Amino acid sequence: MFQRSLPYLAGLLACGLFLALGLIFLPYPGAQYDETLFVMSIHSPQYVEYAMKFGAVKVPIMLMTYIGSLKAAIYAPILYFFGAGNATLRIPVLLMGGASVFLLYLILKRLSGWKTAFLLALLLATDALFLLTDVFDWGPVALQHILFTGAVYCFVRFSTDQRRRWLFIGSLCAGLALWDKALFIWLLGGFSVALLAVFPRQLLALAKNRRHLAAVVLGFVLGAAPFLYYNKIHKLRTITANTEMDEQHPLDKLVMLDRTLDGSGLMGYIVREDPEGAVLNLKSWEKIPLFLNGKLGNPRNSLQHILLVLALFIAPVLCWSGPNRKAALLFVLGGLFTYILMLLTKSAGGSAHHTVLLWPIPQILAGLMVGEIYRRWPRRGFRIASAIVLLCVVSNLTVLNTYLAHFIACGPTVIWSDAIRPLVAEIGSRPGKLFFGTDWGITQQVEFYGNGKIGFHRTSDAIVIGLPEPLNVQHLEGYMADPSTVFVTHTEGHEAFVGVRKKLLDFAAERGYRDELYKVISDRHGVPIFEIHEFRK
């Protein structure tokens, strides 16, 4: 009994490690724009890109031209029953990330054996960029990871037992992923070309089998139906509004891929590099990661990037005469074609939350490489390979400790500021007031933490930035004349758009308004982050 359950317990152990690490990080930063983007579909569906009418009810379908409302559909009951907070925001996506780790384990268990699968599941569970982007759903990426990994698992299952249900579920996952975020077209296109190159006969046989083909088409169309319907009635707006060749230099994107592989890609973006104030209310246990980080020398780069890059070149060569030759070729070509599409896409593919969409392709390739080593050299060779993977796991953990130490000692950056919750509490304590978010990265978070109960001027963060456009001037003058409006800015030096605070104050002064600074909101480190202004004549 124990022997039969041991392989699954190993996978659950890796999944549990991911969940435990995620829970440690969960409370530190405030919500960021990307992870709260979905709330507009719940609280203000009239403002989404497209909603379908069912009687008097509007059902959001597309939040933006390339982002669907799948996440909103998942979160609507969660927020209704449990309210809005860091736990309700992050535990669901943390569980999705844990499921992705377990699915990777199941994929590699079938391809390379449970021992190899366990090692690579540990590597993914401790990957700094994978863990942090999933826990804080920056991108957002959590649904993309679980749906892509789920699709891969289903197709691997079909390759071994030929049951149509796996074709249907895998295609359904792919369709849902496309609806969730149109950037899934990168993976869909990349792996479609790779499948044609590696499995042409199998694809032809599948196409000739009407039941198999029907399972694929039906699953995909059901999953992507909202996305497909939106683009049908809006003449392919997702493509026409977002598809252009990129002018960003490919080397810049390659640098970000390297930073994603080594785990350093979020340093200075999600956490401050240096402290701006002393941490308040330091907990006893928080001294441990600070101590370890000092002793370890503040490591920022994991050794795993060497392993993962080597696997890209070694896996297909090593597996050439083994049972996983075609699998290795599929994932190498699929990953390569996907990344080429990233390189060619304008204003995308050059950020960590884009490159991490390739995960867990590098880990699968590393698993195929280690699995082949185990097949050929089951003793000494596998022991050396296992030791190298475990060394990379430890290296991952040291990088994660660096992030944790920075969260504690330096705090999150402005767009992830933990001062957002005290700001919401302050605004919420003033009923009858309408909130005007002057800068980017304020309004969406207030709507989330306020659970849709705080009134605000929508698109206010674009009005001051767009001055002196006549329409923006007209709107801003109207809001200033309304005594119920309170204006929130970032403090000087902490703005997302530099100079927007001064623009607002100058605009008010030119029209004879007196600035009454109502309150300054600071973060856990005592750093002033937000200002609440009222303007009176």
Side-chain angles (χ1 to χ4, degrees):
M1 178 72 175
F2 178 74
Q3 287 295 110
R4 282 184 296 179
S5 61
L6 180 61
Y8 295 98
L9 290 175
L12 291 173
L13 180 62
C15 177
L17 175 62
F18 177 88
L19 296 177
L21 292 170
L23 286 172
I24 294 172
F25 283 94
L26 187 149
Y28 281 96
Q32 193 260 3
Y33 176 84
D34 284 1
E35 63 176 331
T36 57
L37 188 60
F38 70 93
V39 296
M40 184 166 60
S41 293
I42 299 173
H43 300 311
S44 309
Q46 66 272 27
Y47 294 107
V48 301
E49 169 67 21
Y50 178 68
M52 291 184 67
K53 282 187 178 181
F54 293 91
V57 179
K58 275 191 170 184
V59 178
I61 298 299
M62 295 297 292
L63 183 61
M64 301 169 68
T65 59
Y66 66 98
I67 296 180
S69 58
L70 178 59
K71 183 177 178 180
I74 295 169
Y75 270 82
I78 296 172
L79 298 185
Y80 179 81
F81 287 108
F82 301 105
N86 281 350
T88 49
L89 178 65
R90 289 167 178 161
I91 287 178
V93 289
L94 175 63
L95 292 172
M96 291 179 201
S100 299
V101 171
F102 190 68
L103 285 167
L104 171 75
Y105 173 82
L106 293 178
I107 292 166
L108 289 175
K109 176 177 171 290
R110 287 187 165 267
L111 295 174
S112 301
W114 76 267
K115 293 179 181 178
T116 296
F118 178 55
L119 289 170
L120 272 299
L122 288 177
L123 190 70
L124 182 64
T126 55
D127 184 298
L129 264 291
F130 177 79
L131 187 140
L132 294 174
T133 54
D134 267 35
V135 173
F136 305 125
D137 205 16
W138 180 45
V141 300
L143 274 168
Q144 293 288 294
H145 280 144
I146 189 173
L147 291 170
F148 172 63
T149 312
V152 172
Y153 171 69
C154 289
F155 294 136
V156 169
R157 280 294 300 264
F158 174 76
S159 70
T160 58
D161 61 25
Q162 297 291 303
R163 292 182 181 177
R164 282 190 298 277
R165 66 169 178 244
W166 295 115
L167 279 177
F168 174 79
I169 299 171
S171 300
L172 180 68
C173 287
L176 287 170
L178 186 62
W179 175 34
D180 173 58
K181 199 171 184 180
L183 291 182
F184 186 73
I185 198 71
W186 287 335
L187 287 160
L188 194 63
F191 274 84
S192 295
V193 175
L195 281 167
L196 285 169
V198 179
F199 294 103
R201 292 181 182 178
Q202 291 86 339
L203 288 179
L204 182 61
L206 187 148
K208 289 180 178 179
N209 186 316
R210 293 181 180 179
R211 292 185 178 182
H212 285 175
L213 183 62
V216 172
V217 173
L218 181 62
F220 182 78
V221 170
L222 280 176
F227 173 85
L228 297 174
Y229 180 73
Y230 163 78
N231 278 281
K232 177 182 178 295
I233 64 173
H234 289 94
K235 299 179 181 178
L236 301 177
R237 184 177 292 176
T238 300
I239 297 173
T240 57
N242 299 286
T243 307
E244 295 181 60
M245 296 298 287
D246 201 2
E247 296 175 1
Q248 183 181 358
H249 200 286
L251 284 178
D252 295 335
K253 293 186 177 183
L254 286 169
V255 168
M256 182 49 68
L257 176 61
D258 183 62
R259 294 190 66 201
T260 306
L261 286 164
D262 70 20
S264 67
L266 291 177
M267 286 290 181
Y269 184 78
I270 193 171
V271 287
R272 296 185 184 119
E273 294 277 16
D274 300 297
E276 293 186 29
V279 60
L280 306 177
N281 304 315
L282 182 68
K283 300 178 181 69
S284 298
W285 74 267
E286 290 179 321
K287 297 176 183 178
I288 299 172
L290 294 176
F291 172 78
L292 288 175
N293 193 55
K295 290 295 183 182
L296 293 169
N298 195 39
R300 302 163 57 96
N301 311 102
S302 172
L303 296 174
Q304 78 156 5
H305 80 290
I306 300 173
L307 173 67
L308 297 179
V309 170
L310 287 174
L312 175 65
F313 297 99
I314 294 176
V317 175
L318 198 61
C319 295
W320 192 259
S321 59
N324 286 326
R325 179 176 75 172
K326 288 195 172 184
L329 286 173
L330 175 67
F331 285 104
V332 166
L333 292 177
L336 179 62
F337 293 145
T338 299
Y339 192 63
I340 288 172
L341 291 175
M342 287 188 181
L343 290 174
L344 296 176
T345 305
K346 184 175 182 179
S347 302
S351 178
H353 69 282
H354 293 139
T355 52
V356 81
L357 293 175
L358 292 166
W359 272 226
I361 297 171
Q363 289 79 7
I364 292 175
L365 285 169
L368 294 174
M369 178 181 72
V370 174
E372 185 61 22
I373 291 172
Y374 180 69
R375 190 183 74 86
R376 294 188 184 192
W377 307 287
R379 294 186 178 179
R380 188 175 181 182
F382 183 66
R383 287 173 187 168
I384 294 172
S386 299
I388 292 171
V389 175
L390 290 174
L391 177 63
C392 292
V393 170
V394 173
S395 183
N396 280 351
L397 289 170
T398 64
V399 173
L400 281 172
N401 186 74
T402 299
Y403 277 104
L404 182 58
H406 276 251
F407 270 126
I408 296 167
C410 307
T413 55
V414 171
I415 60 173
W416 301 84
S417 178
D418 54 33
I420 190 69
R421 299 196 72 177
L423 172 67
V424 173
E426 182 60 43
I427 297 172
S429 69
R430 306 184 69 192
K433 293 292 186 180
L434 288 174
F435 153 71
F436 183 103
T438 305
D439 198 7
W440 183 85
I442 304 175
T443 305
Q444 206 74 37
Q445 291 87 318
V446 171
E447 185 177 18
F448 170 75
Y449 285 121
N451 213 7
K453 296 174 183 176
I454 295 176
F456 65 97
H457 297 292
R458 190 162 295 279
T459 70
S460 58
D461 54 357
I463 290 175
V464 179
I465 296 168
L467 292 176
E469 289 293 326
L471 191 59
N472 293 37
V473 170
Q474 181 184 337
H475 284 313
L476 190 53
E477 286 178 339
Y479 295 146
M480 280 194 174
D482 182 358
S484 67
T485 300
V486 294
F487 294 79
V488 176
T489 69
H490 285 117
T491 55
E492 191 171 353
H494 294 100
E495 297 156 306
F497 288 93
V498 178
V500 71
R501 174 184 176 275
K502 186 176 185 302
K503 257 189 174 183
L504 174 71
L505 299 183
D506 289 346
F507 183 92
E510 288 167 4
R511 284 153 182 80
Y513 286 95
R514 182 179 71 257
D515 175 23
E516 295 181 358
L517 181 59
Y518 174 76
K519 195 159 189 178
V520 177
I521 308 292
S522 300
D523 65 11
R524 185 192 179 192
H525 293 73
V527 180
I529 300 295
F530 297 109
E531 295 176 344
I532 303 176
H533 298 263
E534 292 182 299
F535 297 103
R536 300 287 183 264
K537 281 196 174 180

